[in-house]
Amino acid sequence: MTAKPFYEDESGQLHKGEALSVLANLPDASVDALITDPPYSSGGMVRGDRAGSTGKKYISSDSGNQALPDFSGDSRDQRSYGYWCALWLAEALRVVRPGGVALLFTDWRQLPATSDALQAGGWIWRGIVPWYKPIARPMPDRFTASCEYVVWGSRGPMPVEMVAGAKTLPGFYQANPPRERDHQTQKPLDVMAKLVRITAAGGTVLDPFAGSGTTLRAAKDEGYRWIGVEREEAYCEVIAKRLAQDTLFGGVA
Amino acid sequence: MTAKPFYEDESGQLHKGEALSVLANLPDASVDALITDPPYSSGGMVRGDRAGSTGKKYISSDSGNQALPDFSGDSRDQRSYGYWCALWLAEALRVVRPGGVALLFTDWRQLPATSDALQAGGWIWRGIVPWYKPIARPMPDRFTASCEYVVWGSRGPMPVEMVAGAKTLPGFYQANPPRERDHQTQKPLDVMAKLVRITAAGGTVLDPFAGSGTTLRAAKDEGYRWIGVEREEAYCEVIAKRLAQDTLFGGVA
DNA sequence: CCTCTCGATGAATCCATCT
DNA sequence: AAGATGGATTCATCGAGAG
């Protein structure tokens, strides 16, 4: 990397900038896992529903969370969302080592487009991991949309190592979103801490849409190196603050 | 229907035959819900099945997937599965009343193809409901595939009835597969009993791939009328036997 | 300290109304 | 006429505060 990181410590670096251009400057096969939550561009079937601010789209009218900054890049239609994902996923494929993995958060609307984009970007699609949020808002006379999903895959083959230390990861996670958040779509730290364990021991985790930095914080807590990218300055500052904090809970159970 | 049912009682009928031809003989808008588990292992995944069908060149869906490169080595299988699903889903659309619903079981590999097929068949895609099976075979160094999924939608709009009795259905179900099974992919009766409640009170449930008849049994237990279709005589007999039994648990909690 | 009640809230969704 | 806006609805869960 030529540009100076926005923040760094002994275990990783945060870059402020566009995901695609920062990815283009990262060396080949330099990380072990891509774990990220791209802006879904969901929240409405018609273009106009997506065009609003993220606060309006994702927050119920009586909520008090309007103070959170909007996150940009959330107004694509489904086809351009898939195309855009394929673009940066192809670049990320180069950056991840062969045998490394990709984990992408998505909601139900974008799940098929996301799995297509993963494969269009050159990854081998390997599965879906639901994240169940018990407190999702109910809907009369229909099924509540109470899950988000992690679509995951690998760069090429993932040879199964029948070694004694092989870890098995659950195919399902249950947790509520954090009650106090720095970002509209912040993930629970304990869920992220479990998910990052897909990464090989001592490896590096890459999150090109770092948001409030939960993935990076979880990676650091679990003993991995980390590389983050975030476009919005306000979130860069949140991330730097969260990563600079000591954690009493390193290696969350 | 002209043909005599294989089995019937006061609440429903089982027809022995091919799903598509039996569906073609059902009257318009005569049922309230299509709830089924199409055979994804035998309905197009096998080489011989593909060789026997012609004209399976294009899947007409609006998801923009056609131009994407090879999907995980199985794309031909998935596409012909999707095409076949779109065929009978279009016929089923006619049979379900406007505002009625469709629930399709699928595994993670076929989930995108199933949601495309649902839409190609003319349905409005409305969501994904995971079914989590805690007992699943662990895979070293990767996420366990421990969920199946219900892809659901409706025939046209589903107006929200702002009545007091509006029921909200959970967006997630957890249960292990039944320990003793009549069918390879038999679903837990209590999960099916909860899912069929999406059907309007007093309505009719249609399952064109009835298998061991769990959907039909659950529908009957929950007080609905039911119509089943099954190709294999051996399973028709299993279904007839299960439906003829009294249940001590009518209206499962 | 435990139990109970009350209130707040969520990557939701639909629909009438307004622009 | 199509798109944007705001109100109303659903309930499991959690925190605060009372008893």
Side-chain angles (χ1 to χ4, degrees):
Chain A
M1 292 294 298
T2 54
K4 185 176 181 301
F6 185 95
Y7 171 84
E8 67 182 321
D9 63 21
E10 70 290 348
S11 61
Q13 304 176 326
L14 170 66
H15 301 283
K16 181 187 165 203
E18 291 293 331
L20 200 47
S21 42
V22 176
L23 285 173
N25 285 322
L26 293 176
D28 291 355
S30 56
V31 312
D32 297 272
L34 166 74
I35 304 178
T36 196
D37 180 28
Y40 299 169
S41 301
S42 195
M45 296 294 274
V46 295
R47 192 189 60 80
D49 289 341
R50 289 188 301 269
S53 80
T54 53
K56 290 280 167 46
K57 284 194 296 186
Y58 297 133
I59 298 300
S60 66
S61 52
D62 53 351
S63 160
N65 280 335
Q66 272 93 355
L68 296 180
D70 275 5
F71 52 95
S72 47
D74 197 55
S75 57
R76 298 173 176 87
D77 69 24
Q78 196 167 83
R79 287 193 64 232
S80 70
Y81 177 75
Y83 181 81
W84 170 73
C85 283
L87 278 184
W88 61 261
L89 281 165
E91 195 63 36
L93 183 77
R94 181 186 60 75
V95 176
V96 171
R97 69 165 170 80
V101 297
L103 275 61
L104 309 177
F105 274 85
T106 183
D107 69 356
W108 69 270
R109 280 179 195 281
Q110 301 290 9
L111 199 161
T114 303
S115 78
D116 286 351
L118 186 75
Q119 294 169 86
W123 299 79
I124 293 178
W125 180 37
R126 292 198 176 271
I128 300 169
V129 179
W131 165 35
Y132 170 53
K133 297 173 285 186
I135 66 167
R137 177 168 302 186
M139 280 299 296
D141 289 321
R142 57 196 72 197
F143 297 104
T144 306
S146 45
C147 291
E148 289 181 42
Y149 301 89
V150 177
V151 172
W152 76 285
S154 68
R155 175 173 172 181
M158 276 182 81
V160 174
E161 297 176 17
M162 289 303 183
V163 294
K167 61 203 168 192
T168 296
L169 297 169
F172 164 78
Y173 296 84
Q174 174 172 347
N176 282 320
R179 186 158 285 265
E180 296 187 1
R181 288 171 299 171
D182 294 309
H183 191 281
Q184 303 270 4
T185 69
Q186 191 166 329
K187 304 292 177 280
L189 184 59
D190 64 329
V191 169
M192 293 314 303
K194 289 170 186 159
L195 288 172
V196 297
R197 293 179 198 163
I198 189 71
T199 313
T204 301
V205 172
L206 167 65
D207 184 353
F209 305 97
S212 56
T214 307
T215 301
L216 306 178
R217 179 76 244 189
K220 184 174 177 178
D221 286 351
E222 294 290 320
Y224 297 106
R225 299 185 58 79
W226 52 271
I227 299 175
V229 184
E230 171 55 43
R231 175 158 70 173
E232 301 292 331
E233 173 127 11
Y235 288 123
C236 284
E237 282 164 6
V238 168
I239 297 167
K241 186 176 145 204
R242 290 182 78 193
L243 283 165
Q245 288 175 336
D246 282 340
T247 178
L248 298 174
F249 309 104
V252 176
Chain B
M1 293 293 296
T2 54
K4 185 179 183 300
F6 185 94
Y7 170 84
E8 66 182 321
D9 64 21
E10 71 290 348
S11 61
Q13 305 177 326
L14 169 67
H15 301 284
K16 180 186 165 202
E18 291 292 333
L20 200 47
S21 43
V22 175
L23 285 173
N25 285 323
L26 293 176
D28 291 356
S30 56
V31 312
D32 298 271
L34 166 73
I35 303 178
T36 195
D37 180 26
Y40 27 85
S41 55
S42 59
M45 294 287 283
V46 181
R47 186 173 196 81
D49 289 347
R50 290 206 312 275
S53 63
T54 59
K56 298 187 176 181
K57 286 192 173 175
Y58 292 103
I59 298 174
S60 162
S61 89
D62 57 357
S63 66
N65 297 339
Q66 291 86 344
L68 296 177
D70 191 36
F71 290 177
S72 65
D74 272 335
S75 62
R76 288 184 54 112
D77 295 333
Q78 292 196 7
R79 294 187 65 200
S80 68
Y81 175 75
Y83 181 86
W84 170 75
C85 283
L87 278 185
W88 61 260
L89 281 165
E91 194 63 35
L93 182 77
R94 181 186 59 77
V95 176
V96 171
R97 68 165 170 81
V101 297
L103 275 62
L104 309 177
F105 275 86
T106 182
D107 67 2
W108 68 270
R109 276 185 191 280
Q110 302 291 357
L111 198 161
T114 302
S115 78
D116 285 348
L118 186 74
Q119 294 171 86
W123 298 79
I124 293 179
W125 181 39
R126 291 197 176 270
I128 300 170
V129 179
W131 164 35
Y132 171 54
K133 296 172 283 187
I135 299 180
R137 175 171 301 180
M139 283 292 292
D141 291 321
R142 55 193 76 191
F143 297 104
T144 307
S146 43
C147 290
E148 289 182 39
Y149 300 90
V150 177
V151 171
W152 77 284
S154 69
R155 175 173 172 183
M158 276 183 80
V160 174
E161 298 176 16
M162 295 301 182
V163 293
K167 63 204 169 191
T168 296
L169 298 172
F172 167 79
Y173 296 84
Q174 173 171 348
N176 282 316
R179 192 172 289 267
E180 296 185 2
R181 289 173 297 182
D182 293 311
H183 191 281
Q184 188 77 19
T185 65
Q186 189 166 330
K187 304 292 177 281
L189 184 59
D190 64 327
V191 169
M192 293 312 305
K194 289 171 186 159
L195 288 171
V196 296
R197 292 180 198 164
I198 189 69
T199 313
T204 301
V205 172
L206 167 65
D207 183 354
F209 305 98
S212 57
T214 307
T215 302
L216 306 177
R217 179 74 244 188
K220 183 173 177 179
D221 286 351
E222 294 290 319
Y224 297 105
R225 300 186 58 81
W226 52 272
I227 300 175
V229 184
E230 171 55 43
R231 176 164 67 175
E232 301 293 331
E233 173 127 9
Y235 287 125
C236 284
E237 283 165 4
V238 169
I239 297 166
K241 186 175 144 203
R242 289 182 79 191
L243 283 165
Q245 288 174 336
D246 282 338
T247 178
L248 297 175
F249 309 105
V252 177

